[in-house]
Amino acid sequence: MPTCEAVQTRLLQPEIFGCQTTFDRAAKPNHSSYPWAQTILLLGLLKRIHGRWACIPWAFAWYLLVTLRLGRQRLHGRAIGFETKFAQAMRLLRFVAGAVQAR
């Protein structure tokens, strides 16, 4: 029988964009290895601020698995297709390069 938390997660999951089961390599023995989560690809600038490293985000993209029904998902009115992390990273780099060159 599923736990109360699992039932609540399944009920809320359709309302959360990009929510999917993601494998957690660092899961403790009592925790689920496949929690519901969003996987985000982030492009940022690493900079030392007050002696500590900080990531200043420039652009991000949701990485959605192939198994997710991508034809039904929409973002800003467009249907979402599958992209590998590398293809998404290249698209983000082109976006940031275009923004920097425009200045």
Side-chain angles (χ1 to χ4, degrees):
M1 183 164 183
T3 64
C4 182
E5 182 180 322
V7 171
Q8 286 176 342
T9 304
R10 250 186 267 127
L11 292 174
L12 294 175
Q13 184 266 335
E15 298 174 15
I16 302 171
F17 177 79
C19 194
Q20 60 196 358
T21 53
T22 305
F23 182 68
D24 182 12
R25 288 176 173 75
K28 305 281 188 284
N30 275 350
H31 296 159
S32 172
S33 296
Y34 289 90
W36 286 100
Q38 293 172 312
T39 307
I40 297 174
L41 182 73
L42 178 71
L43 177 68
L45 173 69
L46 279 176
K47 177 138 177 77
R48 286 187 68 91
I49 300 174
H50 300 295
R52 295 182 181 201
W53 285 103
C55 178
I56 301 169
W58 280 357
F60 76 96
W62 278 283
Y63 176 71
L64 303 172
L65 298 175
V66 177
T67 55
L68 198 65
R69 293 181 291 264
L70 293 176
R72 296 181 190 172
Q73 295 276 349
R74 293 197 156 314
L75 183 63
H76 302 293
R78 289 186 340 211
I80 298 172
F82 175 74
E83 272 187 306
T84 63
K85 287 182 185 178
F86 183 75
Q88 282 185 333
M90 294 303 296
R91 183 171 48 85
L92 293 177
L93 283 171
R94 279 190 221 106
F95 170 74
V96 170
V100 169
Q101 285 178 352
R103 296 184 109 213

